[in-house]
Amino acid sequence: MTYTIELLNMVKAKYDLSSDYQLAKKLGVSTARVSNWKKGKNNLDWNTAFYVADLLGINDQKVVYGLLDDKYENPRLINALCEGRPV
């Protein structure tokens, strides 16, 4: 499971949303966008990711580092970005 999907599932659980339609409304996006996220066709954009962080009360850095593997395939880039990751 990707971190994107994990975040979406956490929002659904926290706000007792029973459908992707309700999730899309909560996030202010289309149901097609939610569907594409869940199918792995694309990942959360940064603005939506930070909105999700606010909804869930998650630290911005945790969300950024969590999404790195979803967004980027270059292991060298990921390693360079993660060197300053808080423990």
Side-chain angles (χ1 to χ4, degrees):
M1 175 185 328
T2 66
Y3 192 64
T4 296
I5 293 172
E6 186 178 332
L7 288 172
L8 296 175
N9 288 341
M10 289 168 58
V11 171
K12 282 180 81 171
K14 180 173 182 175
Y15 292 93
D16 197 29
L17 306 174
S18 60
S19 70
D20 288 346
Y21 173 79
Q22 291 176 328
L23 176 61
K25 288 295 215 182
K26 182 75 176 171
L27 299 178
V29 299
S30 69
T31 53
R33 181 172 277 188
V34 170
S35 177
N36 285 338
W37 289 333
K38 288 198 160 191
K39 291 178 183 175
K41 291 185 178 180
N42 52 37
N43 302 292
L44 291 173
D45 59 90
W46 291 115
N47 288 333
T48 304
F50 292 131
Y51 180 60
V52 167
D54 292 342
L55 289 174
L56 297 172
I58 297 174
N59 179 285
D60 288 348
Q61 282 186 324
K62 181 175 179 164
V63 171
V64 168
Y65 287 117
L67 288 174
L68 286 179
D69 287 333
D70 290 3
K71 290 187 163 293
Y72 305 107
E73 295 180 11
N74 184 314
R76 189 170 179 179
L77 171 66
I78 293 169
N79 287 338
L81 292 172
C82 289
E83 284 182 8
R85 178 185 294 199
V87 178

